[in-house]
Amino acid sequence: MSVTTIDPTTLPGRPCSLASALQLVGDRWCLLIIREVMFGNHQFKQIADNTGAPTDRLSARLKDLVAAGVLDHRRGPAASRKGYYFTEAGAELSVVTQALTQWGDKWVVTEPPLTREHHGHQMLMRAVCATCGEAVASDEVQREMTVPGWSIAGKTGDPS
Amino acid sequence: MSVTTIDPTTLPGRPCSLASALQLVGDRWCLLIIREVMFGNHQFKQIADNTGAPTDRLSARLKDLVAAGVLDHRRGPAASRKGYYFTEAGAELSVVTQALTQWGDKWVVTEPPLTREHHGHQMLMRAVCATCGEAVASDEVQREMTVPGWSIAGKTGDPS
């Protein structure tokens, strides 16, 4: 199952994969749905109760996520009923929800409502460069636009 | 400058730092604003042009992000004009936007509109456990709710 392609040059502003990705999963209910599927909750009722999403809204979002190729609606490994499961692409969104959860733990709540362990120790996610293994400071990343007429500063008057 | 605290037990559904964080930065314009500030674009007009956000909407979102403690509206290091700059908390959101950008690069666009390098090599972000340094597979993380009456599966009838 492939993911819906969204040409970033058709969106307003800077052509960017972030803007394209947000077209598919930029709604807050989407990320809460992804959290629940990551937690192993695959049934509509479970997802409704655990996200608190209004059921009509939830129903629409689930349909969108299936159409986008983020979720599959199918029978699970040991389930007789159909439920919502990650596609390969959907599973990779757990990095995004974990990063934002961790930011929330640190900055937005007084007491994390959920603890995470990894092989017996506290799990704290850290972003490193896959090539060199170093922690990534955002200001050490050199970015370049490949779309003519655009630079990191913005739209240039004279596409070359 | 501290971030607005949002008690996750006051939100619908599972008490979770993700839901609390989304209250502050869960709007798609918010993440595009964060992208621009990360790229070094601090002026209202730059942010408007590069995100494509309607100016009234953008104005409201920037005000919210300043009130939430994610951005500061102040003079920059070498700037005579005031602009929007990250607070310490805001800067840490770049992990979230980078993770979602990378997901978009891989799954949603056909050609990444932006390349990223880190000390001369291609930059690909990888999430590892800060304690043991291993790559984190979501199914190797043990999660536990600390809020009475809740488990990972959902709300339990009988808080203990």
Side-chain angles (χ1 to χ4, degrees), chain B:
Chain B
M1 176 92 192
S2 67
V3 174
T4 303
T5 300
I6 295 180
D7 179 352
T9 64
T10 63
L11 301 175
R14 178 194 300 285
C16 174
S17 297
L18 177 62
S20 290
L22 287 168
Q23 292 291 108
L24 298 185
V25 296
D27 177 89
R28 76 184 290 270
W29 297 121
C30 286
L31 294 183
L32 296 177
I33 291 167
I34 286 156
R35 176 193 71 194
E36 290 305 319
V37 175
M38 185 174 79
F39 286 181
N41 299 317
H42 303 287
Q43 298 300 318
F44 185 89
K45 188 177 179 330
Q46 290 180 304
I47 299 171
D49 291 347
N50 294 342
T51 58
T55 54
D56 55 340
R57 190 80 71 90
L58 179 62
S59 187
R61 289 296 169 280
L62 286 167
K63 195 177 276 188
D64 291 345
L65 289 171
V66 169
V70 170
L71 296 179
D72 262 345
H73 190 224
R74 59 167 170 85
R75 267 173 245 291
S80 54
R81 278 187 303 165
K82 283 176 105 178
Y84 295 91
Y85 290 86
F86 283 136
T87 61
E88 190 191 344
E92 293 187 6
L93 282 168
S94 60
V95 177
V96 177
T97 57
Q98 286 189 66
L100 192 51
T101 303
Q102 192 163 308
W103 186 83
D105 277 347
K106 179 168 176 184
W107 295 102
V108 190
V109 304
T110 45
E111 184 86 39
L114 211 133
T115 60
R116 286 184 300 282
E117 288 202 348
H118 180 244
H119 300 314
H121 50 256
Q122 195 206 351
M123 158 71 204
L124 209 64
M125 199 188 91
R126 187 183 185 197
V128 300
C129 170
T131 309
C132 70
E134 279 177 38
V136 177
S138 180
D139 59 5
E140 289 175 345
V141 179
Q142 278 79 49
R143 300 176 177 87
E144 213 145 318
M145 296 284 298
T146 60
V147 180
W150 282 88
S151 72
I152 291 301
K155 198 161 188 158
T156 56
D158 179 30
S160 59

Side-chain angles (χ1 to χ4, degrees), chain A:
Chain A
M1 176 91 193
S2 67
V3 174
T4 304
T5 299
I6 296 180
D7 179 351
T9 64
T10 62
L11 301 175
R14 177 193 301 285
C16 173
S17 298
L18 177 62
S20 289
L22 287 168
Q23 292 290 107
L24 298 185
V25 296
D27 177 270
R28 75 186 292 270
W29 297 121
C30 286
L31 294 182
L32 296 178
I33 291 167
I34 286 155
R35 176 193 71 194
E36 289 305 319
V37 176
M38 182 174 80
F39 286 0
N41 299 317
H42 303 287
Q43 298 301 316
F44 185 89
K45 189 178 177 332
Q46 289 180 304
I47 299 172
D49 290 348
N50 294 342
T51 59
T55 54
D56 54 341
R57 189 79 71 89
L58 180 62
S59 189
R61 290 294 170 279
L62 286 167
K63 195 178 279 189
D64 291 345
L65 290 171
V66 170
V70 171
L71 296 179
D72 263 343
H73 190 223
R74 60 167 170 84
R75 267 173 245 291
S80 55
R81 278 187 302 165
K82 283 176 105 179
Y84 295 91
Y85 291 85
F86 283 136
T87 61
E88 190 190 345
E92 292 188 7
L93 281 168
S94 61
V95 176
V96 177
T97 56
Q98 286 189 67
L100 192 50
T101 303
Q102 192 162 307
W103 186 82
D105 277 347
K106 179 168 176 184
W107 295 103
V108 190
V109 304
T110 46
E111 183 85 41
L114 211 132
T115 60
R116 285 184 300 282
E117 288 202 348
H118 180 245
H119 300 313
H121 50 256
Q122 195 206 350
M123 156 73 202
L124 210 63
M125 198 188 93
R126 185 183 187 198
V128 300
C129 170
T131 309
C132 70
E134 278 177 39
V136 177
S138 179
D139 58 5
E140 289 174 347
V141 179
Q142 277 79 49
R143 300 174 178 88
E144 213 146 318
M145 296 285 297
T146 60
V147 180
W150 281 89
S151 72
I152 291 301
K155 196 161 191 160
T156 56
D158 179 29
S160 58

